[in-house]
Amino acid sequence: MEVIADYQDLCGECPVWDPRTATLYWTDNSGNRLYRYRPATGKHEIILEKFQVCGFRMDAGGGFTLINHGGVWRWDGVGQPRLIASEADGFKLQLNDCCADAAGRLLTGSNFYDVSGDYERAKLFSVGTDGRVTILDDGFELTNGIAFSLDSRTLYFTDSTAHRIYAYDYDLATGAAKNRRVLVDVPREEGVPDGLCVDAEGYLWSAQWYGSCVVRYDPDGKVERRIQTPAKQTSCACFGGDDCGELYITTAAESWPSPAMPPGYDAFNGLFGGALYRTRPGMCGLPAYETRI
């Protein structure tokens, strides 16, 4: 486990590998920064600051599609981000994480979670290539990592504080998701499922907040292995590198006590996180899909 950069990210999230430029991007969604790292030179830097980025994907037309608590944005990488949508059917797009499908849509979920227990239930949204936003499902606690099976016929979706990863039947042609079922029930003593990706064998990799690890699940939801990290708040992972055999892992330095903590978890002492890590787990991933918005 190698430290690539340590900006003491308050909530490091959403690492994304761009194979065209051999560049890794990631965000600090509480510190309002977006970074990039080029392994060829070893250089990492801030490319956008004073703007919240909770999740993003590269766009096939250039630049990025961004999401945050204000909605969905397009950013050309130079000027200021441009707002695409702030609500859908009258519901606020206070968004948390995202993923593109193979057709160029962006899937994302809202997040109103409050540790007090008084909060609006969240929704799962789809942003079409024309920028129109539709609601796919609702009734969630804290929406998080999203990914697809290799054939795009299954959508995986995380509800963190419910300790669940769901699976849906997904129609790539229409963008419809149906038949929600529980794929993984994460035991409360292990941690909270957060960011999600899929490797080249179709296995899921789920970062475990409070759990100091990334867990690899088979397509039936069974634990295949765990990769331990030094950070208690391990937030997200993605594959990258020339052979897509490197696993990049984000972490969060700002402790977040919540009712979802495992029994006996110490929210005041220890290494919570803040660094970007890299390891080679012995298998390869796939580049993330791009949006076409």
Side-chain angles (χ1 to χ4, degrees):
M1 193 68 64
E2 173 188 9
V3 174
I4 295 301
D6 191 355
Y7 289 88
Q8 280 299 290
D9 293 334
L10 299 178
C11 188
E13 279 281 6
C14 200
V16 177
W17 177 258
D18 178 9
R20 295 175 301 182
T21 61
T23 302
L24 181 88
Y25 298 88
W26 81 101
T27 181
D28 179 355
N29 67 18
S30 293
N32 297 338
R33 290 175 170 179
L34 181 64
Y35 308 92
R36 71 179 167 205
Y37 164 65
R38 292 193 169 112
T41 63
K43 181 181 179 181
H44 46 77
E45 60 187 333
I46 301 167
I47 61 169
L48 179 65
E49 57 185 334
K50 298 180 181 179
F51 186 88
Q52 184 186 48
V53 180
C54 295
F56 64 96
R57 283 296 184 266
M58 313 299 296
D59 191 87
F64 305 78
T65 303
L66 314 174
I67 57 102
N68 63 15
H69 289 178
V72 184
W73 307 72
R74 284 283 285 116
W75 183 49
D76 62 7
V78 180
Q80 290 299 307
R82 176 175 58 87
L83 183 65
I84 293 176
S86 60
E87 63 176 34
D89 292 342
F91 295 99
K92 182 180 180 182
L93 296 179
Q94 184 168 304
L95 305 173
N96 187 49
D97 203 348
C98 65
C99 177
D101 73 7
R105 304 179 188 90
L106 186 77
L107 279 79
T108 182
S110 55
N111 172 27
F112 301 93
Y113 182 80
D114 191 295
V115 296
S116 69
D118 183 19
Y119 57 92
E120 178 182 330
R121 290 286 166 156
K123 293 176 171 55
L124 174 63
F125 299 97
S126 176
V127 185
T129 55
D130 59 359
R132 295 180 61 184
V133 185
T134 57
I135 299 171
L136 294 182
D137 203 359
D138 60 14
F140 305 104
E141 293 186 17
L142 199 168
T143 66
N144 229 311
I146 309 173
F148 287 92
S149 62
L150 299 183
D151 61 7
S152 294
R153 295 175 65 181
T154 304
L155 164 66
Y156 303 111
F157 176 56
T158 305
D159 190 347
S160 286
T161 52
H163 293 85
R164 286 179 169 175
I165 301 174
Y166 293 106
Y168 292 82
D169 296 332
Y170 191 73
D171 186 334
L172 184 62
T174 65
K178 62 181 181 179
N179 189 26
R180 183 177 83 188
R181 64 257 186 207
V182 176
L183 181 74
V184 180
D185 256 322
V186 178
R188 300 188 72 87
E189 61 270 19
E190 291 186 6
V192 168
D194 198 333
L196 192 65
C197 69
V198 171
D199 66 25
E201 297 177 10
Y203 284 60
L204 288 77
W205 293 74
S206 174
Q208 281 196 354
W209 189 280
Y210 301 138
S212 302
C213 65
V214 182
V215 183
R216 188 184 194 227
Y217 297 98
D218 71 16
D220 293 323
K222 296 178 182 178
V223 175
E224 189 272 340
R225 75 181 64 192
R226 298 176 192 273
I227 295 182
Q228 297 298 131
T229 68
K232 296 168 77 170
Q233 295 181 159
T234 303
S235 55
C236 197
C238 84
F239 284 90
D242 291 339
D243 61 352
C244 235
E246 298 172 343
L247 190 68
Y248 289 90
I249 303 169
T250 53
T251 63
E254 184 176 38
S255 179
W256 184 64
S258 79
M261 295 184 299
Y265 178 84
D266 187 345
F268 303 99
N269 299 288
L271 176 60
F272 297 102
L276 171 72
Y277 295 92
R278 179 174 63 189
T279 188
R280 293 192 69 92
M283 62 279 298
C284 295
L286 297 168
Y289 292 124
E290 298 177 324
T291 56
R292 293 182 175 85
I293 297 174

